[in-house]
Amino acid sequence: MSKAVLLLNLGTPAEPSAKGLRDFYKYFFSDPYVFDMNPLGRWLLRNLIILPFRAPKTAKDYATIWMEKGSPLKVYADRLKASVQSAYEETGEDVLVLNGMAYSEPFIAKAMEQLESQGRDEILVLPLFPQYSTATTASVFHAVEQAAGKWKTRPRLKFINDLYSELAFIRAWTSLISQHIDFDKVEHVVFSYHGLPESNIKKADSAGVCNFGDCCAEINVNNRLCYRAQCIATTKKIVKALDWQDDRYSIAFQSRFGRQAWIQPYLDEHLNALLETGVKRIAVVTPSFVSDCLETIHEIGIEYKEQFMQGGGEVFKLVPNLNDDPSWFSSVFEISERHWS
């Protein structure tokens, strides 16, 4: 059999313009895994609100984070692919590494077509989502399965559900945090994770144990695929490796919108609560992402920073994401190699 590694992500606009955002949102807001609602409601939301109104506004925000070679997510994804490919070539092992995106080029279906055309019939599917979610992981897995179903001879697929428990992933984050956080300058670290609607979490709760509280404290057979539990586990693994005391950090969730309940605590409310207790010098770490993007650079680095500083804060440091850090690139190669065995 001929091997390949398919690195998956959601994707990014091709350009920071209203057209670029509309092209991206047409795919993103059509995904029932992300927007689990009546199809008519999803169509109305996408075509009457998101495309005409949100796309132009968000395009301006994207323009503030755009790199010389494009969107940060795309730039870092390309560098990661090249690094992992080079690492396999150095071992002499014949493994092809490709990127696949859910809502932008290179689309997952096209990547799968390329793998078929090149005879790569054993595929390690590695989503770049540290924590499992039906809105991200299950969605891209579905796209891979759909594409594989069109092959003349179905390939052998091996899926990696998450990265949060991978020692190499934790090692990459601890290395990065150690470089950027000095407790002589900050007094508290907030681990901020992308939020999800509570209804999305419930979808993964086949055992019926979810109560959005103590059930997330430890990973077990019943909550193994709970996104919130995996976020908490990610934090615990990182702080254990860093040997931090419990009072040095906290956890919150960002990026909610709409009227439905999302997983808590909400980052905006959490920052206010920290200020009320006298915490004025903080750093923010974002381990639900592997590369900086609109949600990290703009939402946290600009919007939440402004909220915190206007509320009386003195220091607000956003720790850069893994991006193209060498320890991250080597960890992805290490993780992929381990999963072949």
Side-chain angles (χ1 to χ4, degrees):
M1 301 188 78
S2 188
K3 294 180 177 180
V5 175
L6 184 57
L7 303 172
L8 299 181
N9 217 317
L10 294 182
T12 181
E15 59 184 45
S17 66
K19 179 184 182 303
L21 267 294
R22 288 188 180 112
D23 289 344
F24 178 68
Y25 281 157
K26 276 189 284 190
Y27 291 100
F28 180 61
F29 283 89
S30 298
D31 189 346
Y33 282 85
V34 179
F35 299 94
D36 186 12
M37 57 195 299
N38 180 286
L40 176 59
R42 191 165 55 243
W43 187 93
L44 293 172
L45 172 67
R46 182 180 69 246
N47 293 285
L48 300 185
I49 298 176
I50 300 300
L51 297 185
F53 299 110
R54 181 171 177 145
K57 177 183 180 299
T58 308
K60 296 177 182 178
D61 295 338
Y62 263 102
T64 67
I65 72 166
W66 214 253
M67 301 172 69
E68 183 179 350
K69 293 186 177 181
S71 164
L73 186 146
K74 177 68 163 56
V75 170
Y76 293 130
D78 287 345
R79 292 177 184 174
L80 174 63
K81 181 193 76 167
S83 175
V84 177
Q85 183 68 75
S86 177
Y88 271 111
E89 290 172 359
E90 288 178 6
T91 67
E93 191 172 1
D94 181 20
V95 177
L96 176 64
V97 182
L98 292 183
N99 281 326
M101 303 289 181
Y103 313 125
S104 64
E105 297 284 353
F107 286 102
I108 292 172
K110 291 294 184 181
M112 288 291 288
E113 287 178 6
Q114 181 178 342
L115 293 177
E116 182 181 24
S117 69
Q118 295 187 226
R120 302 288 173 164
D121 52 3
E122 184 175 6
I123 305 169
L124 182 66
V125 182
L126 199 167
L128 298 176
F129 315 122
Q131 299 81 27
Y132 179 92
S133 165
T134 56
T136 54
T137 322
S139 177
V140 296
F141 283 178
H142 176 70
V144 171
E145 289 281 11
Q146 278 194 314
K150 298 177 182 179
W151 285 33
K152 292 181 179 179
T153 301
R154 182 180 173 81
R156 178 187 173 192
L157 302 173
K158 187 170 186 178
F159 295 93
I160 299 177
N161 282 328
D162 43 58
L163 303 176
Y164 82 96
S165 62
E166 297 282 351
L167 293 178
F169 172 75
I170 299 301
R171 188 167 62 246
W173 263 111
T174 55
S175 171
L176 187 73
I177 291 171
S178 297
Q179 297 172 42
H180 289 277
I181 292 182
D182 181 353
F183 278 106
D184 289 334
K185 298 178 180 179
V186 301
E187 56 191 317
H188 191 83
V189 177
V190 178
F191 287 81
S192 182
Y193 294 86
H194 198 290
L196 286 176
E198 290 185 354
S199 59
N200 189 288
I201 301 293
K202 286 288 189 180
K203 284 171 62 177
D205 181 26
S206 59
V209 298
C210 180
N211 61 21
F212 303 104
D214 292 341
C215 57
C216 297
E218 299 291 341
I219 297 288
N220 56 56
V221 66
N222 290 324
N223 68 359
R224 175 65 182 80
L225 295 180
C226 172
Y227 173 79
R228 189 175 187 275
Q230 289 195 1
C231 290
I232 292 172
T234 304
T235 304
K236 288 184 175 181
K237 290 178 182 296
I238 293 173
V239 298
K240 181 178 180 181
L242 291 167
D243 196 26
W244 288 0
Q245 299 299 313
D246 288 348
D247 60 351
R248 285 199 162 182
Y249 70 92
S250 55
I251 300 171
F253 298 89
Q254 66 187 78
S255 306
R256 77 184 190 278
F257 70 93
R259 297 181 179 179
Q260 61 182 317
W262 285 50
I263 52 178
Q264 299 186 42
Y266 301 139
L267 181 57
D268 54 349
E269 296 177 359
H270 184 64
L271 293 177
N272 289 335
L274 287 174
L275 287 168
E276 289 175 3
T277 62
V279 175
K280 295 185 178 182
R281 295 178 292 115
I282 68 169
V284 180
V285 182
T286 55
S288 60
F289 304 92
V290 298
S291 63
D292 279 317
C293 55
L294 194 70
E295 289 85 353
T296 62
I297 302 172
H298 191 276
E299 183 180 352
I300 295 180
I302 296 177
E303 295 176 1
Y304 283 114
K305 178 179 181 179
E306 183 178 298
Q307 172 196 326
F308 186 77
M309 300 303 282
Q310 289 182 349
E314 298 173 357
V315 175
F316 186 104
K317 178 181 177 58
L318 174 61
V319 175
N321 214 282
L322 295 169
N323 295 332
D324 55 0
D325 189 275
S327 65
W328 163 235
F329 283 3
S330 63
S331 73
V332 175
F333 172 66
E334 180 181 327
I335 290 167
S336 66
E337 270 209 316
R338 190 177 71 78
H339 280 271
W340 283 126
S341 57

